């Protein structure tokens, strides 16, 4: 299958070529024709499958077709709702990339930043609005966002929005959107409340599913270390020092835990930053940008980063605190092994976590590989895609508070769409070397 076979318009095909994509991914092949035909779609797909393009490309095409009212001041023509600021930013970047030849005007609204520029963008009228529910409702309640002209609605990461308690907000927003519209809903998992929401808001949807529900990428190796809680920081530091990694994402259960661990890592000379909901938007953006560029190759995060983050070359995900929710495990490790690359998921299991571990193994239908205390052993590298650029992490320098040498081994982040993805199951080389696919870092 080629993109040309999907009947996408020439400006979109050119944008896809510029992004370096040679072939559509399975979710794109399945979803795009239905969206173009005006059908509602219920997509069950994990991030990393190319699902953003699966809805953005046909949505942009539909908006340019006759029969859809043109852009006008104060009007929003298509609305994409998603759970986190980071995801909103990423989707907006995808709209920029795929819409580069389509004269599309878009706005992105999320909390934690000034609302003035967002309100002004909305006043001017936008083709595509990407929003998190909280800030959008704020703007609506002040009369600054008018959704009465929305033709196309996308709910992305619907199950995550449910987990974050956004369901009432979503229903309030839906109330303000015309019933006659096209609705696309994507969710990595399909728990009962999501099915119910889908029944309520979708009109005879076409189901599109590309991966078994809650199945992780097959290219990820899963390991588990049994460890006592107080020994966890030292174990992580040792593993980071002895593991060939490009970027490592470390999940903690709490925000304070993330801060504490980041401090310990930095004191051990590991370049690390924390990402969680108590950080200012500026700090969150900076932490992500520095992780993308591998300036800070270790990011310690709460589950705010478990979904939607698309950063190339995350070679390792550490479940420093094992999650009590098995499906969250799948989302966390979905940050590595993306688009056909190899990845490693390393979990720490204390006595208290054993029931969680069993639940995860039940969901995966396979045991995680037991590794025991590594005591200086060398972890096998998950075949980094650019072995020539991967070097082992330097040993901790031990200078308190100083970012040590551990770390700048990966190539700089390439940006989200437009990666071309060497080693990917659907990659075929990049059309333009050096093309950053429209990502605005930071
Ligand atoms: P998503 O699942 O939308 O988060 O996309 C995951 C990654 O796949 C992003 O970096 C996209 O740029 C990339 N991608 C999307 N579609 C394709 C494609 N057809 N070929 C190669 N890479 C793609």
């Amino acid at each position: 299958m080629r993109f040309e076979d999907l009947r996408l318009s020439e400006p979109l095909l050119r944008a896809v070529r510029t992004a370096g994509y040679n072939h559509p991914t399975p979710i794109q092949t399945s979803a795009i024709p239905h969206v173009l035909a005006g059908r509602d779609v219920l997509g069950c797909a994990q991030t990393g499958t190319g699902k953003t393009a699966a809805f953005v490309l046909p949505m942009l095409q539909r908006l340019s077709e006759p029969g859809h009212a043109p852009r006008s001041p104060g009007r929003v023509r298509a609305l994409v709702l998603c759970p986190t600021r980071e995801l909103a930013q990423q989707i907006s970047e995808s709209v920029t990339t795929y819409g580069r030849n389509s004269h599309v005007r878009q706005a992105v609204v999320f909390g934690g930043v000034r609302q003035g520029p967002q309100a002004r963008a909305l006043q001017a009228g936008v083709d595509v609005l990407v929003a998190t529910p909280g800030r959008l409702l704020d703007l609506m309640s002040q009369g600054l966002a008018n959704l009465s002209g929305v033709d196309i609605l996308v709910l992305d990461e619907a199950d995550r929005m449910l987990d974050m308690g956004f369901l009432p907000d979503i229903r309030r927003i839906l109330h303000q959107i015309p019933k006659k519209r096209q609705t696309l809903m994507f969710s990595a998992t399909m728990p009962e409340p999501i099915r119910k929401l889908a029944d309520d808001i979708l009109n005879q949807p076409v189901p599109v599913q590309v991966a078994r529900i809650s199945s992780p990428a097959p290219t990820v190796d899963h390991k588990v270390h049994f460890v006592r809680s107080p020994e966890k920081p030292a174990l992580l530091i040792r593993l980071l020092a002895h593991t060939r990694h490009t970027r490592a994402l470390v999940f903690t259960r709490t925000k304070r835990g993330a801060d504490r661990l980041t401090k310990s890592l930095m004191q051990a000379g590991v370049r690390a930053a924390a990402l969680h909901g108590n950080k200012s938007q500026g700090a969150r953006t900076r932490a992500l940008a520095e992780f993308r560029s591998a300036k800070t190759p270790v990011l310690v995060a709460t589950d705010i980063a478990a979904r939607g983050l698309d950063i190339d070359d995350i070679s390792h995900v550490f479940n420093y605190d094992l999650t009590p929710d098995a499906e969250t495990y799948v989302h966390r490790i979905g940050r590595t092994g993306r688009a056909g690359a190899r990845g490693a998921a390393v979990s720490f299991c204390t006595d208290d976590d054993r029931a969680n571990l069993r639940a995860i193994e039940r969901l995966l239908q396979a045991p995680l590989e037991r590794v025991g205390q590594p005591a200086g052993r060398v972890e096998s590298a998950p075949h980094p895609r650019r072995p020539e650029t991967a070097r082992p992490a330097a040993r901790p320098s031990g200078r308190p508070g100083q970012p040590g040498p551990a770390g700048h081994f990966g190539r700089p982040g390439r940006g989200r769409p437009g990666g071309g993805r060497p080693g990917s199951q659907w990659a075929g080389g990049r059309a333009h070397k050096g093309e950053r696919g429209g990502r605005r870092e930071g």
Side-chain angles (χ1 to χ4, degrees), residues 44-213:
C44 185
Q46 295 165 283
T47 51
T49 54
K51 82 176 152 58
T52 315
F55 65 80
V56 171
L57 287 168
M59 181 176 80
L60 294 179
Q61 179 146 329
R62 299 266 301 150
L63 290 174
S64 67
E65 281 168 358
H68 281 260
R71 183 171 64 218
S72 57
R75 180 162 184 257
V76 174
R77 305 176 69 207
L79 171 65
V80 181
L81 285 177
C82 64
T84 64
R85 300 167 189 179
E86 283 76 15
L87 186 55
Q89 189 64 39
Q90 279 184 184
I91 295 171
S92 153
E93 287 161 10
S94 297
V95 174
T96 304
T97 300
Y98 305 137
R100 65 195 313 151
N101 307 315
S102 307
H103 311 290
V104 60
R105 193 190 288 167
Q106 63 148 323
V108 54
V109 309
F110 49 72
V113 292
R114 285 183 310 124
Q115 70 166 38
Q118 300 177 351
R120 278 195 293 282
L122 287 172
Q123 256 160 25
V126 292
D127 298 300
V128 179
L129 173 63
V130 184
T132 54
R135 173 57 67 92
L136 179 58
L137 272 175
D138 268 4
L139 291 165
M140 287 163 69
S141 65
Q142 299 168 66
L144 297 171
N146 175 357
L147 303 182
S148 63
V150 168
D151 279 340
I152 304 177
L153 169 70
V154 182
L155 294 187
D156 195 18
E157 305 262 356
D159 50 346
R160 176 70 168 152
M161 291 205 267
L162 175 87
D163 291 349
M164 293 173 74
F166 283 141
L167 212 51
D169 285 358
I170 289 172
R171 291 204 181 267
R172 282 170 63 201
I173 292 169
L174 284 167
H175 228 65
Q176 306 296 321
I177 301 178
K179 287 221 165 16
K180 192 172 166 307
R181 57 162 195 258
Q182 182 177 19
T183 308
L184 317 173
M185 184 166 148
F186 292 87
S187 191
T189 57
M190 287 288 162
E192 199 37 45
I194 291 298
R195 290 203 177 280
K196 166 104 186 48
L197 179 68
D199 283 348
D200 291 350
I201 68 168
L202 297 173
N203 176 20
Q204 301 186 330
V206 184
V208 171
Q209 179 166 344
V210 292
R212 183 171 66 84
I213 297 176

Side-chain angles (χ1 to χ4, degrees), residues 3 21 23 28 48-52 310 338 416-418 421 426:
F3 276 104
Y21 305 166
H23 300 285
Q28 292 161 5
T49 54
K51 82 176 152 58
T52 315
D310 176 35
R338 289 168 78 77
R416 196 181 128 71
R421 301 213 169 253
W426 60 72

Side-chain angles (χ1 to χ4, degrees), residues 35 43 46 113 126 235 239 320:
V35 183
Q46 295 165 283
V113 292
V126 292
L235 174 60
L239 287 175
Y320 180 85

Side-chain angles (χ1 to χ4, degrees), residues 300-315:
V300 183
T302 56
D303 280 317
I304 197 173
R307 297 210 198 183
L309 277 196
D310 176 35
I311 295 176
D312 284 341
D313 265 353
I314 296 181
S315 58

